[in-house]
Amino acid sequence: MSLDKYQSKRKFEKTPEPKGKADLPLKKGAEGKSQPIFVVQKHDASRLHFDFRLEINGVLKSWAVPKGVSEKFDEKRLAVMTEDHPLEYADFEGTIPQGNYGAGQVEIWDKGTYEMTEVTEKAFVFILHGKKLQGKYVLFNFKDKNWFLFKTKS
Ligand code: MN
């Protein structure tokens, strides 16, 4: 688990955000299959952005997407990888008080399940089943923490 960075940035007596458990068991479906989740949170912090999060190995892998996720094919959006968040964060909405990391309003913009179809060293390809976001998306790591997120036909 890799929540150390997440937890070290926050004072949990001062923010309503979840602390996260170290060993949260993965949720399993009736047939032992887990349907991983994704969430997009609109975060009205010092600079408005959208946080895109995918459940991978028991945590939410997270990217800050300044312009939000596009529903148009091949419209690339910069997505900057941020620290892993606990799974419980997918349900978080509320106000992070001033003086705390990420101070501002958080609301869930979209949420659903996804299927990972391809993983390489530099890319994730997955199908989103959200209320707003549907279809195949690519996250492509082009430099350091910088990724492109876009919808694809192929
Ligand atoms: Mn954020």
Side-chain angles (χ1 to χ4, degrees):
M1 293 300 153
S2 48
L3 295 175
D4 293 1
K5 201 169 175 188
Y6 171 85
Q7 290 171 341
S8 69
K9 287 184 171 187
R10 291 167 175 82
K11 293 188 174 74
F12 293 99
E13 67 278 14
K14 289 185 176 165
T15 176
E17 295 166 289
K19 186 162 187 255
K21 298 181 188 81
D23 295 304
L24 199 70
L26 288 174
K27 287 173 200 154
K28 297 282 181 191
E31 292 151 329
K33 287 179 191 168
S34 59
Q35 276 275 40
I37 58 157
F38 83 94
V39 65
V40 183
Q41 282 153 320
K42 186 179 174 186
H43 188 181
D44 198 356
S46 53
R47 193 171 278 190
L48 177 72
H49 62 275
F50 291 79
D51 290 299
F52 182 80
R53 311 188 198 279
L54 289 178
E55 177 187 353
I56 295 177
N57 295 335
V59 294
L60 294 172
K61 292 283 170 192
S62 298
W63 291 262
V65 185
K67 292 184 174 177
V69 187
S70 179
E71 292 165 67
K72 292 180 187 163
F73 289 109
D74 299 319
E75 196 166 83
K76 292 184 176 67
R77 293 287 164 83
L78 175 68
V80 180
M81 196 176 230
T82 59
E83 73 274 19
D84 293 349
H85 279 51
L87 278 184
E88 303 98 294
Y89 209 92
D91 296 318
F92 177 71
E93 288 190 295
T95 303
I96 302 168
Q98 289 306 314
N100 292 277
Y101 179 73
Q105 282 286 126
V106 176
E107 66 179 67
I108 295 170
W109 182 83
D110 196 16
K111 192 181 167 187
T113 60
Y114 79 93
E115 300 163 61
M116 191 71 83
T117 61
E118 201 184 327
V119 178
T120 68
E121 207 180 315
K122 290 279 177 192
F124 296 123
V125 183
F126 46 87
I127 299 162
L128 297 179
H129 305 287
K131 288 192 176 114
K132 291 178 178 141
L133 299 177
Q134 298 271 347
K136 195 183 238 186
Y137 278 81
V138 177
L139 264 166
F140 176 74
N141 182 209
F142 66 94
K143 191 172 192 280
D144 306 325
K145 289 171 182 275
N146 297 322
W147 298 60
F148 281 127
L149 174 58
F150 58 95
K151 190 173 187 179
T152 187
K153 275 179 188 167
S154 53

